RNA sequence: GCGGGCGUGGUGGAACCGGUAGACACACAGGACUUAAAAUCCUGAGGGGGUAUCCCCGUGCGGGUUCGACUCCCGCCGCCCGCACCA
């Protein structure tokens, strides 16, 4: 060993140094006027909860690797960061700790910004935005007014989850087992007048465009398709027979199975159907039934167990295709008001719910679809509805038709007819997707810029009066919306008539804030919501990275917003994100004490004897149970604080570990051993670079590797260039774990050359050796630069290279070094590997065959006879068939 | 129930388009260095058999296609995720 011993790399000194330098040089500040090709990398911006967690580290490291790589590839890379800063936790902090939501939020932002900087992210902080800044929500209010004018906003009544203690609307996610998540009070269903964004106007567009989003995971596209939930069917009118019908002369239903109309045996109304309400006025039992349905709630669990119940209304309708027959009308608990028409016809033989209902109330079950090959005389439906394909029978003029043909036939049959003065049998497409209710009875959100006037009604706040600013002097000493309690804020003059009026005190759902921030980043200081030229230049986002938990809401809302902003002239795209990547979670083992309490990793000492792992408490020594590997969460205490990791190991080590091993779309398990392994590699690279510098100093003058290298030197050159090519491909495809593995291989190969003990003595110090080593080391540092940027800078400087590695262009692989001159071909006999031959790349088939057959193992298997066949796959394999 | 995905050593995972299964890493074992430990370096390893050349088995299970299957097809089993009374 000749190299002088090297100090360990000290990230505590080196990392802040490079972070300062990048900042001074404004290395990651990007100009909209830069002529180079653009690339927009975006990670989902965080909610400023106060601390970043390992999930953030993983997410932002991935984005940073891509951004730094693209930058080295010569792109003008936009890689911004901001804060999804409105939301309920800030109000809770205000209630619990008496701190103003704005103060709390801004403190959190400052803390988290420092943390993000400490992990060395190459972000353009000059474009930082926080959604709670007036500058941001001012623009959002403009968007709202534009949307209003464009007919994209509606004000309508809807049912909401109402917490009677906190006096606020709760999102579905905030209702746990029918109770408010904070108050614990049973949640009520209330009808409130709310503001809606008309997402459903774009149901078809949002659905169709999914096919073109080939840069998105299929899983997310499927989830959105299901969420939009398109179904095509027929609207049918059933004529109500005269009687106590509360004035109804017909009932309209929506069905996707009009082919089963001959099997209809009842009509069912939703408990929320207007007719049900009218009938209940004179029917106490029905009133009780409807109340019971409402009590039952809509929690998933309840629905799963709920049995089909109904109440006969006394009404009957004329069967539309069976002359002289009538059907009973029920109110049933399983019929939803907000899908279709809130009424169905039941065909028990071919729908499980209808069958359950029919069995309970003794209604006829008549099969009208005959499975292929079934005997019409014997086929019967017992407990299971038949929903498969077949031929229509028992159905008059539909008999003998296939299902699709029967649907068309029925549509034609009703076409042009009228019932009750309305067209019968209208073909219709229904979507599950509903309009987006954005009203929240909360303080810490973007005020909805409208005024309610007794004379003029709902009046938009004129543009000149924007922004509608949140008042600072609010109190949280009683439940409800502080904006509503504020002594003066809501009292204004009507912008139209000047008379006394009231501001809208609801604020917008925070999902509105995050539905357009990607556009704002393209020109964060623009006078309007966007600078059209900047937005056009940058959008769509080339690569968006975030968690799968946003597969529906955020991503669907953003897609709607892009269309709405397109319509109102703020952007030119319909799709905001060309590429989407959903990364996996960071998980950790869980630990439980003997008394069943969760224990934090730092309170646990792990022990291994052979391959058995045990754990005990760090202080008491009591045995600890090692539990399941789960997503890091405070409640299970299995969290690791990024700050502590950075303090102990440095940012580069944390980044490297987050990129290693696990494919980025899968969960990664945080382990002490894993982070230590990453730290070891960092030190190894540092040592390797300095060992190599020692070689360069001992043998000055030898620089460029030549084409003459052979043997091991040539192999290492090949390895270097192969790794350059592979790492580039891997990063482009976001396969960071593979890039990491390839870098390990290169480092291993170079280690042999750098040490006098392992390198062949004859070559050590020759011009070829030094040149190949230098090339390899420099490439290694460059390949590491996107992943361990600080270490790479330190090495780059130690190597005496000009400038900083962050500004160095990405290395190119020499194509000539990617192909081998001779190649090792495995030789199989009957598909089983028996040996290998080394042949020139351009060897003829005959040569290869001769070589292969002359292998001892092969000739032994042949036993003197000629092979049946020899298959040669060029550059791949030889298979001898005996 | 419907939809999507996955199943490879002790562990995380690799294997491009059907062509050497287990790259790379972690953990483990042995060795070197050290008074000792840590750190570092070297070596080993899918399972079974044999001193060894080498042989057999092996990618959840059972079949199939193919010269050749982790990869394609059919049928099972198990796990994960999403949606869920949507007519």
């Amino acid at each position: 060993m000749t190299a002088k011993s090297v100090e360990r790399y000290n990230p505590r000194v080196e990392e802040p140094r490079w972070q300062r330098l990048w900042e001074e040089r404004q290395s990651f500040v990007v100009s909209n006027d830069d002529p180079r090709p653009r690339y927009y990398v975006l990670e989902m911006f965080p909610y400023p909860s106060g601390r970043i967690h390992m999930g953030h580290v993983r997410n932002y490291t991935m984005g940073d690797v891509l951004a730094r790589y693209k930058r080295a590839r010569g792109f003008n890379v936009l890689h911004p960061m901001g804060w999804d800063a409105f939301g309920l936790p800030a109000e809770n902090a205000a209630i619990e700790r008496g701190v103003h939501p704005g103060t709390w939020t801004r403190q959190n932002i400052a803390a988290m910004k420092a943390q993000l900087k400490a992990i060395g992210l190459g972000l353009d902080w000059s474009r930082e935005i926080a959604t709670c800044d007036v500058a941001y929500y001012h623009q959002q209010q403009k968007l709202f007014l534009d949307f209003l004018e464009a007919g994209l906003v509606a004000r309508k009544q809807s049912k909401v989850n109402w917490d009677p203690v906190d006096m606020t609307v709760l999102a579905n996610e905030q209702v746990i087992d029918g109770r408010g998540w904070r108050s614990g009070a049973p949640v009520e269903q209330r009808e409130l007048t709310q503001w809606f964004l008309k997402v459903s106007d774009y149901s078809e567009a949002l659905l169709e465009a999914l096919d073109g989003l080939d840069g998105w995971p299929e899983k997310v596209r499927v989830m959105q398709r299901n969420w939009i939930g398109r179904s095509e069917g027929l609207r049918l009118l059933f004529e109500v027979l005269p009687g106590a019908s509360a004035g109804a002369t017909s009932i309209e239903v929506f069905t996707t199975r009009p082919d089963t109309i001959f099997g209809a045996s009842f009509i069912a109304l939703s408990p929320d159907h207007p007719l049900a309400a009218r009938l209940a006025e004179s029917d106490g039992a029905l009133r009780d039934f409807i109340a019971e349905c409402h009590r039952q709630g809509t929690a998933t669990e309840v629905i799963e167990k709920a049995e089909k119940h109904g109440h006969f209304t006394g009404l009957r309708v004329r069967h539309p295709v069976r002359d002289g027959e009538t059907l009973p009308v029920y109110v049933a608990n399983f019929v939803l008001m907000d899908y279709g028409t809130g009424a169905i016809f039941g065909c028990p033989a071919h729908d499980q719910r209808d069958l359950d209902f029919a069995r309970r109330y003794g209604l006829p079950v008549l099969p009208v679809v005959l499975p292929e090959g079934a005997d019409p005389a014997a086929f019967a439906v017992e407990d299971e509805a038949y929903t498969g394909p077949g031929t229509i029978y028992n159905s008059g003029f539909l008999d003998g038709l296939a299902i699709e043909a029967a649907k068309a036939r029925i549509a034609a049959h009703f076409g042009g007819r009228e019932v009750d003065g309305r067209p019968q049998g209208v073909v219709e497409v229904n979507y599950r997707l509903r309009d987006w209710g954005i009203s929240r009875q909360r303080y810490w959100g973007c005020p909805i810029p409208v005024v309610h006037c007794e004379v003029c009604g709902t009046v938009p706040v004129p543009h000149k009066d924007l922004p509608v600013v949140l008042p600072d002097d609010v109190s949280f000493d009683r439940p409800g919306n502080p904006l509503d309690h504020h002594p003066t804020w809501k009292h204004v003059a009507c912008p139209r008539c000047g008379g006394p009026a009231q501001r809208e005190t609801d604020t917008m759902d925070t999902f509105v804030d995050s539905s357009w921030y990607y556009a704002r980043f393209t020109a964060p200081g623009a006078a309007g919501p966007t600078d059209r030229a900047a937005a056009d230049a940058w959008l769509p986002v080339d690569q968006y990275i975030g968690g799968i938990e946003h597969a529906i809401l955020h991503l669907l809302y953003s897609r709607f917003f892009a269309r709405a902003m397109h319509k109102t002239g703020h952007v030119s795209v319909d799709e905001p994100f060309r590429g989407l990547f959903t990364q996996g979670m960071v998980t950790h083992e869980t630990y439980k004490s003997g008394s069943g309490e969760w224990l934090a990793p730092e309170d646990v000492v792990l022990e291994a004897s052979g391959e058995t792992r045990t754990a005990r408490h760090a202080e008491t020594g009591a045995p600890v149970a090692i539990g399941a590997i789960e997503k890091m969460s405070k409640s299970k205490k299995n969290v690791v604080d990024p700050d502590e990791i950075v303090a102990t190991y440095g940012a580069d080590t944390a980044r490297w570990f987050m990129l290693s091993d696990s494919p980025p779309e899968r969960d990664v398990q945080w382990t002490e051993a894993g982070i230590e392994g990453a730290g070891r590699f960092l030190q190894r690279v540092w040592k390797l670079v300095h060992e190599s510098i020692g070689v360069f100093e001992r043998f000055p003058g030898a620089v460029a590797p030549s084409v003459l290298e052979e043997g091991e030197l040539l192999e290492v050159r090949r390895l270097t260039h192969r790794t350059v090519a592979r790492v580039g491909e891997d990063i482009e495809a976001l396969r960071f774990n593979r890039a990491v593995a390839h870098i390990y291989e290169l480092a291993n190969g170079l280690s042999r050359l750098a040490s006098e003990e392992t390198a062949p003595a004859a070559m050590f110090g020759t011009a070829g050796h030094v040149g190949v080593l230098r090339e390899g080391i420099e490439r290694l540092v460059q390949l590491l630069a996107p992943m361990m940027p600080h270490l790479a800078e330190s090495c780059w400087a130690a190597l005496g290279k000009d400038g900083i590695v962050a500004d160095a262009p990405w290395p190119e692989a020499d194509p000539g070094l990617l192909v081998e001159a001779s190649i090792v071909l495995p030789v199989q006999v009957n598909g089983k590997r028996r040996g290998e031959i080394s042949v020139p790349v351009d060897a003829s088939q005959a040569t290869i065959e001769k070589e292969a057959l002359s292998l001892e193992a092969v000739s032994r298997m042949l036993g003197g006879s000629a092979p049946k066949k020899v298959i040669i796959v060029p550059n791949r394999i030889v298979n001898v068939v005996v």
Side-chain angles (χ1 to χ4, degrees), chain A residues 697-729:
Chain A
E697 284 169 354
R698 264 177 76 199
F699 304 98
V703 263
S706 79
V707 289
L708 300 174
E709 260 74 66
E710 54 185 26
E712 186 160 354
L713 286 180
L714 181 60
E715 284 314 303
V716 173
R717 274 210 87 192
R718 286 219 157 94
L719 172 65
T720 300
H721 285 260
R722 202 167 57 226
T723 307
V724 167
R726 282 178 173 172
V727 169
E729 288 163 15

Side-chain angles (χ1 to χ4, degrees), chain A residues 171 270 364 426 477 530 807:
Chain A
S270 163
V426 177
D477 51 7
T530 63
D807 287 340

